[in-house]
Each structure stands twice: as structure tokens, then as C-alpha cells.
Amino acid sequence: MTSIGGAEMVDWNLAVATATRLVRPGPEVSRDEARAIVAELRKHAKSSEEHVRSFTRMGTEDTHDTPVLVVDRAGWIRANVAGFREILKPLLDKMQDRRGGGPGGAVLGAVGGKVTGVELGMLLSFLASRVLGQYETFAPSTRDLPAGTNGGGRLLLVAPNIVHVERELDVDPHDFRLWVCLHEETHRTQFSAVPWLRDHLEGEIQSFLSETEVDPMTFLERIREAAQSFAGGRPEGEEEDGGRSIVELVQTPAQREILARLTAVMSLLEGHADFVMDGVGPDVVPSVNEIREKFQQRRARGASRLDQALRKLLGLDAKLRQYRDGERFVRAVVGEIGMDGFNRVWTSPNTLPTKAEIAKPADWVARMHRKGERGQ
């Protein structure tokens, strides 16, 4: 617990309570329909394993250490708060130390955690209705939300959101559910087949956080700005197209370098999953082309001006670029040197593409070719 005299920097329990209270209800389904949807998602998650392994040619270790959980929006909130709490602890510890020694630290310690908990809960309530599925790499296990015992993480499928989107797009629900499962199963395959990947990502994230020199009040203000946008307000003096991403708290050259590497690897992972879900699709998802076209249109337009503002503030626009740029990288590399040639990307951290190589796949291919000639 990150606290001074019992006062947390972030009141995580209040964040969960606030998000759960504010999140919009899911689509209306009967009890029998809900049972059938959950059963089908579990079936598709299982069948996706072989489809993904066959298409990617990635030999995987035992995936039984990675549970597949079909959750509602409240379950997604609880899982993500637990994950945030785990991965952000070093940063919050550091901020806590700075807060305690500064003027007004006692007052901030008394009320700041609850204020931040409420505002974080507001943001999570927004996100909880938008995520279809998620592979949680750094998931701590709880009684209600088990995770892998040996760092296996867990795979979440958010049933209400999947149903909402399939209805909104007016696509075949059975095809859409399998299509979503193929994407998330690709992420599970990435981490189960590449044992060093989780530790590499965790090391990069912790290096990034250790370099952070953010004043606690500045950090809280960023969350406050996001919450005000969610509530329909705008910080006084902010221009119509203003606002900064929370990621833009980056201040040091070292952080910018780490963030560039993280952006590259996340682009690879997301783009690879998009490439696989569409590549597998024609054989097992008859309407994959219709689904992809409608889904891309939905991604591009956003739901509203509020949705677009929050996407910018939270850095979600950057995530959408990761899907697009990463998929182009994978498609170009596989097209030039085949799937086995592409799979050299998983050899070690040194064979991951750089941010520049994501934009220019031929440069990565040339680098790997030179390494091959030297027998490295």
C-alpha cells in the first residue's frame, strides 16, 4: 500500500467503486442468451488456439497457465485496477516520497488519494464499455480473477462489449465473436511462445517509470483534465484542439528513448494480432472481409467529439496508429520473406524492430539478412 499515515496516493478501492457505479449498462440480453454467449466465447477461445498456432507457425509452451475469463464491464474494471496497481507501484512510491516532503503534503495525503480514486474511476468507466478483449501480461491473481501462477497472465473477453459492437456493426455475431477471439489468442500465443517477452516488457516499463520526474500535483492534474473532459467540462483557457496525452508527461531523453522502443514493440504485437485475425479469417470466419471493413470505419470515426477528445488525452489515438502501422510492418515482412522469416523477430530483444523499422519494414529485413550472413 502506497500511503502516508494510511492515506493512499490513489484510493484503488474507490476507483473500482466509482467506475462500477458510473459505467453504462451493457446491451439487453436474456439470461439464456447470456449463458449461450459466454459458452460460445469460451468455445471460440479454445478453437482459436490451434488456428493461431497453425497460421503463425509459433510453437507454444503449455498455455494452461493462462486462464481465459469471460467478464462483464465490472469484471474488466476490477482486473485493470489490479493490474495498474501492480505495474504503477514503483512510480507511486516515488511520487509518495516527493509528496511527503513538500509543503502541504499532509493535506494532499488526506484528500488526494480519494480525489484521484474518483477521477481514475471516471476514466475507467469510459474505457470499460469500449474494450472487447485484453491479454493481461502483468495480472496479479485474485480469488475472483485468477491469473497464471508462473507469469502466465490472463486473457479477458468482455462479453457485453462484444455483443454491443456486433449489433452496432450489424455483422454475423458468431463470426464476429470468433474474429475477436483470434486477435486475443494471438496475444496469448505471443507471450507463451516467446518466454523472454514478458520480462523484457516489464523491464522497459520499470525503466521508464524509474526515470519519471513528475511532480505529484502535475500527475493529479492530468487525471483531473481527463475527468473534466469526461464530464463535459474543459479546463479554463484550453483551446478547442488543445490538451495533451497523459503519455506526454515524458520529460527526459532517456524516457523518450524507452518510449520509442515500447511503441515499436506494442506496434508489433498489435499489428501481428490484426494480421493473424484477418489471415486466419477466410478459412474459419466467412464474413471476415465485411467485419474488417465495418470495424475499421468504426475505429476511424470514433463515437463523438467527447470520445475523440478522451482518445487524444489518454493516448488512444496512438494505439490506433499502432494497429495500423504494426499490421503494415507484418504484412510487408511476411510478403517479402515469408512467415518463417518474419518469426525471426521473436529471437531476442535485439531482433525486435525499432520504431523507425516499423515505418520502413525493408530496413528490418536488411538488418536481419546482414545478421544471418554473419551467422548471428
Side-chain angles (χ1 to χ4, degrees):
M1 189 75 71
T2 305
S3 61
I4 291 180
E8 298 177 62
M9 190 77 185
V10 178
D11 188 329
W12 299 106
N13 291 333
L14 186 57
V16 171
T18 300
T20 303
R21 185 174 67 252
L22 294 179
V23 70
R24 292 181 296 181
E28 291 187 10
V29 295
S30 69
R31 184 170 298 180
D32 288 342
E33 284 178 307
R35 289 197 187 101
I37 291 165
V38 170
E40 183 173 20
L41 287 172
R42 287 176 176 157
K43 181 186 74 172
H44 285 332
K46 181 64 178 176
S47 66
S48 293
E49 293 182 33
E50 185 55 38
H51 294 313
V52 170
R53 291 181 197 179
S54 176
F55 183 81
T56 63
R57 303 178 192 170
M58 295 176 70
T60 64
E61 297 179 352
D62 190 356
T63 59
H64 294 144
D65 191 42
T66 309
V68 177
L69 307 179
V70 181
V71 298
D72 58 11
R73 291 170 176 174
W76 180 88
I77 289 167
R78 292 194 302 272
N80 276 266
V81 166
F84 290 157
R85 188 172 186 170
E86 184 83 5
I87 202 69
L88 290 176
K89 188 177 186 303
L91 173 62
L92 295 180
D93 284 344
K94 185 176 185 179
M95 292 171 62
Q96 187 76 41
D97 292 340
R98 293 187 61 177
R99 184 181 77 177
V107 175
L108 184 59
V111 301
K114 292 192 179 298
V115 171
T116 309
V118 169
E119 292 172 342
L120 180 59
M122 294 173 70
L123 294 179
L124 287 169
S125 72
F126 169 81
L127 295 172
S129 62
R130 284 158 172 76
V131 177
L132 302 181
Q134 177 181 353
Y135 179 81
E136 284 200 293
T137 314
F138 309 108
S141 184
T142 67
R143 183 181 63 181
D144 297 332
L145 295 164
T149 56
N150 298 311
R154 61 183 165 225
L155 194 155
L156 305 179
L157 297 169
V158 191
N161 297 348
I162 293 172
V163 173
H164 171 78
V165 173
E166 70 192 26
R167 291 179 179 179
E168 180 184 329
L169 298 181
D170 189 25
V171 294
D172 182 281
H174 309 293
D175 283 3
F176 185 75
R177 293 165 196 173
L178 176 54
W179 189 69
V180 171
C181 288
L182 288 169
H183 183 101
E184 302 309 328
E185 178 57 36
T186 301
H187 286 316
R188 185 163 71 150
T189 297
Q190 290 163 348
F191 284 90
S192 60
V194 187
W196 55 263
L197 185 57
R198 181 188 185 278
D199 289 342
H200 172 70
L201 270 180
E202 183 175 21
E204 292 280 58
I205 292 170
Q206 294 306 330
S207 294
F208 180 88
L209 295 178
S210 70
E211 289 284 336
T212 301
E213 294 294 343
V214 178
D215 178 78
M217 290 305 296
T218 303
F219 181 79
L220 299 182
E221 183 60 28
R222 293 295 175 269
I223 296 179
R224 187 164 296 111
E225 288 175 9
Q228 287 170 337
S229 294
F230 176 82
R234 181 178 297 277
E236 185 176 355
E238 180 179 312
E239 297 296 329
E240 187 69 21
D241 60 348
R244 292 188 293 170
S245 163
I246 289 176
V247 175
E248 291 175 334
L249 288 170
V250 175
Q251 293 180 338
T252 69
Q255 280 185 309
R256 285 191 286 272
E257 290 179 7
I258 296 168
L259 187 59
R261 294 196 299 268
L262 281 170
T263 299
V265 71
M266 294 310 298
S267 295
L268 171 69
L269 297 178
E270 296 295 355
H272 183 235
D274 263 15
F275 177 79
V276 172
M277 72 194 296
D278 287 350
V280 172
D283 292 332
V284 298
V285 183
S287 60
V288 64
N289 291 332
E290 177 193 0
I291 291 173
R292 168 56 71 186
E293 181 180 359
K294 290 183 175 180
F295 194 76
Q296 289 289 73
Q297 292 172 354
R298 182 181 185 272
R299 269 183 182 172
R301 67 175 180 262
S304 65
R305 288 182 62 196
L306 172 60
D307 183 83
Q308 292 168 0
L310 274 169
R311 276 171 32 177
K312 179 178 180 181
L313 183 61
L314 297 172
L316 299 183
D317 281 341
K319 185 172 179 64
L320 295 181
R321 288 194 297 273
Q322 288 173 2
Y323 284 105
R324 183 188 66 232
D325 297 344
E327 195 274 342
R328 287 175 180 169
F329 171 85
V330 176
R331 185 173 299 278
V333 172
V334 172
E336 184 169 348
I337 60 176
M339 186 65 75
D340 291 335
F342 165 79
N343 280 340
R344 290 190 62 190
V345 78
W346 311 117
T347 304
S348 75
N350 293 329
T351 60
L352 291 171
T354 64
K355 188 176 180 181
E357 288 170 340
I358 288 288
K360 295 183 177 180
D363 290 353
W364 181 86
V365 172
R367 177 162 67 91
M368 293 300 100
H369 181 67
R370 289 195 299 271
K371 285 189 174 186
E373 286 182 333
R374 295 194 303 265
Q376 296 180 4

